[in-house]
Amino acid sequence: MKMRKKAFMLGNKAVAYKGSGVVEVIDIEYPTFELKEGPGVNPANVGRKVPHGVILKTVTTNICGSDQHMVRGRTAAPTGLILGHEITGEVVETGPDVEFINVGDIVSVPFNIACGRCRNCKDGKTGICQNVNPDRPGSAYGYVDMGGWVGGQAQYVLVPYADWNVLKFPDRDQALNKILDLTMLSDIFPTGFHGALTAGTAVGSTVYVAGAGPVGLATAVSAQLLGAAVVIVGDLNDDRLAQARSFGCETINVGEGSVPDQLEQLLGVPEVDAAVDAVGFEARSHGHGAGAGESPATVLNSLMDVTGAGGAIGIPGLYVTGDPGAVDDAAKAGTLSLSFGTGWAKSLSFTTGQCPVMKYNRQLMMAILHDKVNIADAVNATAISLDDAPRGYAEFDAGAATKYVLSPNDYLEL
């Protein structure tokens, strides 16, 4: 118990949502093997015992675009919610039911919390576990309506069902040497890979990725890893498009002309084999520059236009059922004006929802450890301190072409 007493002495600092546009670093309790009442914790989960869990000393935890949706006030997230679902850490305590994970292990934590026991988990659908969120299938750390599991943008965090959930890195020194790459395994690299794969990307494919944020860039890297002949990334942000070009992508600024016309200039035809929506529900309309108004269905409709008949669209971009800041009442409930007839007429396939991270994270870990991919460079990973999190959120929200990686316990040189 010496480690736990030391942790109590050090305290536990974390990043909390304090209202629209505001995050603060606050002091919170050191985690225990029981869920306690707090902001966002589902009442049915209060008092839930977690003997199968581990407590991590956080090595890295990343700021995600999904966090930004909450911080912008675009969800029902309660004030005081502890943020963060992209977690890599060192095990400092294990619950009595943990068999195969040990103190000192460096592990990656999938953002989806999964029990490993339910029908969906056994089918590999870990993004929609039936036992961790009393309201609906699927859960995540530090996220609104996801059961209330405390977020990982903190010095210490509880991870349940550890034998099932965590991915142990085979060598501590190797892991810490490649930590800026390996930290992406908790979410955006598997999520981008899932988007590219479900879009049907294969050797020789032409692929269009809508969105040059970190998930879009991770999707583009993944499409290259899958053997795409050409990957084209579209966005309104020139800095993010330059980042996509830095690792061999073609790019189009969707504010400077129609997507089909720009694709035709690059490919000779106005369509692609595979397309991915890495934008989500805060999409802005095309053709009117950076000041374009919000139009949540615009990306999906555009992708149906430019995906070849019989193709597929991967949709890792987030869509929600409750958006208080939406442009109209329909969008506030997640109801969008889709040209579904276009998709039907072209026999397109769609894959939506949380990425089942565990389906991909080990394979992608091996690709990183054996130098087959440099995901940190592709997304411009930049390490900052936990205390610097408010700045990271503000700069990311302003469009910085950067993936901010928080270092709560000084494992990284800043």
Side-chain angles (χ1 to χ4, degrees):
M1 297 297 291
K2 290 182 180 179
M3 286 191 176
R4 185 168 180 183
K5 289 178 180 177
K6 183 179 179 182
F8 270 121
M9 291 171 60
L10 293 174
N12 190 17
K13 294 165 63 177
V15 180
Y17 169 65
K18 288 293 188 177
S20 182
V22 180
V23 298
E24 292 181 7
V25 179
I26 65 171
D27 292 317
I28 64 171
E29 291 185 7
Y30 180 86
T32 65
F33 293 103
E34 178 181 330
L35 280 183
K36 298 181 179 180
E37 187 175 4
V41 179
N42 191 302
N45 262 349
V46 174
R48 184 171 182 164
K49 307 294 184 183
V50 191
H52 41 69
V54 296
I55 293 172
L56 301 184
K57 184 177 183 180
T58 306
V59 175
T60 55
T61 176
N62 314 326
I63 296 175
C64 180
S66 297
D67 298 320
Q68 287 285 17
H69 294 306
M70 290 188 290
V71 173
R72 292 182 186 127
R74 298 297 297 268
T75 71
T79 300
L81 182 73
I82 303 303
L83 299 168
H85 56 271
E86 300 188 12
I87 308 163
T88 305
E90 178 176 1
V91 177
V92 294
E93 283 192 75
T94 61
D97 291 352
V98 176
E99 292 187 72
F100 308 115
I101 300 299
N102 300 304
V103 170
D105 289 345
I106 306 292
V107 300
S108 177
V109 182
F111 79 88
N112 352 77
I113 302 169
C115 72
R117 296 153 166 81
C118 71
R119 176 179 178 178
N120 285 345
C121 283
K122 289 179 179 180
D123 283 344
K125 301 173 183 176
T126 54
I128 43 174
C129 173
Q130 296 170 314
N131 288 330
V132 287
N133 183 353
D135 284 341
R136 63 172 186 257
S139 189
Y141 304 88
Y143 213 84
V144 60
D145 295 332
M146 286 291 187
W149 300 87
V150 178
Q153 286 175 14
Q155 292 175 302
Y156 298 92
V157 62
L158 171 68
V159 174
Y161 302 103
D163 283 325
W164 168 254
N165 273 315
V166 304
L167 174 69
K168 176 182 173 180
F169 298 135
D171 182 86
R172 177 189 179 89
D173 291 339
Q174 183 188 35
L176 292 176
N177 186 53
K178 290 182 173 286
I179 197 64
L180 281 180
D181 292 286
L182 294 172
T183 191
M184 305 306 164
L185 293 173
S186 58
D187 184 354
I188 67 164
F189 195 12
T191 292
F193 191 86
H194 181 65
L197 188 69
T198 57
T201 305
V203 173
S205 296
T206 57
V207 182
Y208 175 58
V209 180
V215 170
L217 297 173
T219 302
V221 169
S222 299
Q224 292 175 337
L225 196 60
L226 287 164
V230 60
V231 180
I232 303 162
V233 180
D235 204 292
L236 290 161
N237 183 316
D238 285 330
D239 290 338
R240 290 181 171 182
L241 291 174
Q243 185 62 30
R245 290 193 296 274
S246 74
F247 58 94
C249 296
E250 300 286 349
T251 61
I252 60 176
N253 187 315
V254 297
E256 297 178 355
S258 77
V259 174
D261 287 348
Q262 293 191 69
L263 289 177
E264 187 166 20
Q265 291 173 21
L266 291 168
L267 301 173
V269 293
E271 63 184 21
V272 291
D273 301 318
V276 181
D277 174 3
V279 178
F281 72 104
E282 289 192 68
R284 308 189 74 79
S285 58
H286 296 168
H288 303 289
E294 191 168 290
S295 178
T298 191
V299 170
L300 290 172
N301 285 330
S302 174
L303 295 188
M304 283 190 276
D305 283 340
V306 302
T307 303
I313 300 173
I315 310 174
L318 177 67
Y319 289 85
V320 296
T321 57
D323 175 8
V327 293
D328 54 42
D329 288 340
K332 287 179 180 179
T335 302
L336 308 181
S337 298
L338 294 177
S339 179
F340 195 73
T342 301
W344 191 94
K346 297 174 75 173
S347 295
L348 300 180
S349 300
F350 306 85
T351 300
T352 66
Q354 289 187 33
C355 163
V357 170
M358 292 175 66
K359 188 173 183 179
Y360 310 109
N361 61 351
R362 183 190 174 278
Q363 299 95 310
L364 296 176
M365 174 189 75
M366 296 300 287
I368 290 169
L369 294 179
H370 293 278
D371 299 318
K372 298 302 181 185
V373 65
N374 295 300
I375 182 67
D377 288 344
V379 301
N380 192 24
T382 302
I384 61 175
S385 69
L386 188 72
D387 289 334
D388 248 356
R391 174 179 68 85
Y393 270 94
E395 292 180 1
F396 187 40
D397 189 54
T402 303
K403 177 68 173 178
Y404 286 104
V405 176
L406 304 180
S407 177
N409 289 299
D410 300 323
Y411 284 85
L412 301 182
E413 290 186 12
L414 305 180

